Amino acid sequence: MSTPLLELRGLSGGYQPIQIFQNVDLTVEQGASIGFFGPNGHGKTTLMKTISGVLEPWRGDVIFEGQRLNRAKARGSRRWRNFNYDVVTPRRMDPKTVARAGLIHVPQGNLLFPEMTVEETLSIAPLVAAERHQSSAHESALHEKVGALFPRLQERRNHKNRFLSGGERQMVSIAAGLLADPKLLILDEPTLGLSPKLRLELCEAIKTIRAAGVPLIVIDQDIGFLTELIDVLYLFDHGSISRRLERAEIPSHDQLMAMLFGEAV
Ligand SMILES: Nc1ncnc2c1ncn2[C@@H]1O[C@H](COP(=O)(O)OP(=O)(O)OP(=O)(O)O)[C@@H](O)[C@H]1O
Ligand SMILES: [Mg+2]
């Protein structure tokens, strides 16, 4: 069997001193996409932030294309205890290394720099992938694809991010993710809080991204949308995976609610 794209082995983490998720084991096979579905506040975003190295894993491993992205050693030597750990302890997991490996995280919420223009924002992303392929032809082909996917951004390219609508900002985030040439793209609630029209536009764009062969990890509350994108769905509650469902086994939204909460809601 080929090496999986991503493996999580016994991954635990949270915000010191509160543990948010524990013992997450997961495999994303090459070419596959997976979805996460679960109640609010149960740790989906925290797990994604740990996979991409924004947060330090507490225990366990993140393995991408057979390479462990986190360093094994937990802490520095005791004699450094009196110093500020954030300064003297090397990070166990570095988000730059993760992104350069091709694991790209489009985070939940509106996290663009407000004073940067669309064009400036999108000019940074390709730098992440620059080490993996030096050809400028590849980069301009990628720019063209992303331009075709989000024509709206072309019109807005000189606008500052803070003047964009929520949907347009989400498009900028996803476009930036694509320009980093992902081997695996994490989309955390990409359509949350959008107007129906923009939501539809964005859903179509994400389906096109999937159809172009980009493997995804998608978190979304719309099970119909998820089912169109993914091969495997994970139900996630109380900080761990409670169920794994192949696409053909994914039931209706109400039945999923019953699985999660014990009764139909
Ligand atoms: N920066 C933070 N510092 C401390 N606690 C946090 C922080 N961010 C989130 N939390 C807490 O961690 C828990 C899990 O939050 P998280 O955002 O991972 O959940 P989620 O499943 O993604 O929820 P949602 O579906 O609403 O996006 C919550 O109790 C939340 O209050
Ligand atoms: Mg979340």
Side-chain angles (χ1 to χ4, degrees):
M1 249 177 86
S2 64
T3 311
L5 187 55
L6 176 72
E7 269 183 280
L8 308 182
R9 292 193 192 147
L11 196 66
S12 303
Y15 307 93
Q16 291 286 1
I18 311 286
Q19 183 161 357
I20 300 292
F21 65 91
Q22 56 283 324
N23 267 327
V24 174
D25 290 313
L26 170 87
T27 303
V28 183
E29 298 296 348
Q30 291 283 352
S33 286
I34 65 163
F36 274 84
F37 183 86
N40 298 124
H42 281 229
K44 303 180 294 298
T45 294
T46 309
L47 173 64
M48 295 307 137
K49 287 200 279 190
T50 308
I51 296 174
S52 61
V54 174
L55 295 172
E56 294 270 53
W58 290 14
R59 271 183 301 284
D61 291 321
V62 180
I63 296 157
F64 189 61
E65 295 195 304
Q67 303 290 320
R68 198 176 59 201
L69 292 177
N70 58 298
R71 287 147 46 105
K73 205 161 178 296
R75 284 294 176 202
S77 74
R78 284 185 69 85
R79 73 197 174 88
W80 292 106
R81 278 277 158 83
N82 292 333
F83 293 86
N84 181 346
Y85 258 130
D86 293 340
V87 178
V88 300
T89 310
R91 284 182 66 89
R92 291 188 61 212
M93 200 159 153
D94 176 9
K96 291 198 291 298
T97 311
V98 178
R100 284 184 191 135
L103 174 46
I104 304 296
H105 180 187
V106 176
Q108 180 174 0
N110 166 22
L111 295 180
L112 299 175
F113 291 107
E115 295 301 324
M116 280 173 79
T117 65
V118 170
E119 195 161 32
E120 285 164 350
T121 308
L122 298 183
S123 67
I124 297 171
L127 301 177
V128 164
E131 279 174 21
R132 272 185 285 130
H133 47 74
Q134 270 107 34
S135 115
S136 59
H138 182 91
E139 194 183 314
S140 55
L142 205 57
H143 264 284
E144 221 162 273
K145 272 190 211 157
V146 172
L149 198 60
F150 299 117
R152 218 176 241 276
L153 298 187
Q154 191 59 21
E155 298 158 23
R156 304 278 195 281
R157 66 182 185 281
N158 294 320
H159 292 216
K160 286 186 174 181
N161 291 325
R162 70 188 171 97
F163 294 124
L164 302 178
S165 74
E168 288 166 347
R169 279 197 284 256
Q170 196 61 45
M171 286 177 190
V172 175
S173 302
I174 296 175
L178 287 173
L179 289 170
D181 204 8
K183 289 182 181 171
L184 176 61
L185 184 66
I186 300 177
L187 300 175
D188 190 349
E189 309 248 12
T191 67
L192 190 71
L194 303 186
S195 69
K197 184 171 173 291
L198 270 182
R199 182 170 189 280
L200 209 64
E201 232 179 272
L202 208 61
C203 287
E204 287 308 315
I206 295 168
K207 284 186 222 165
T208 308
I209 294 168
R210 177 64 190 122
V214 179
L216 304 173
I217 296 181
V218 193
I219 303 176
D220 206 272
Q221 303 292 345
D222 180 343
I223 203 66
F225 172 54
L226 275 182
T227 307
E228 288 187 69
L229 292 171
I230 56 156
D231 306 288
V232 178
L233 179 71
Y234 290 94
L235 301 190
F236 192 86
D237 59 289
H238 299 92
S240 58
I241 291 168
S242 57
R243 194 123 181 202
R244 179 187 186 280
L245 298 161
E246 296 285 337
R247 194 213 325 244
E249 303 169 326
I250 300 174
S252 68
H253 181 272
D254 286 353
Q255 285 166 320
L256 271 178
M257 286 302 189
M259 278 181 185
L260 282 165
F261 299 110
E263 56 185 55
V265 184

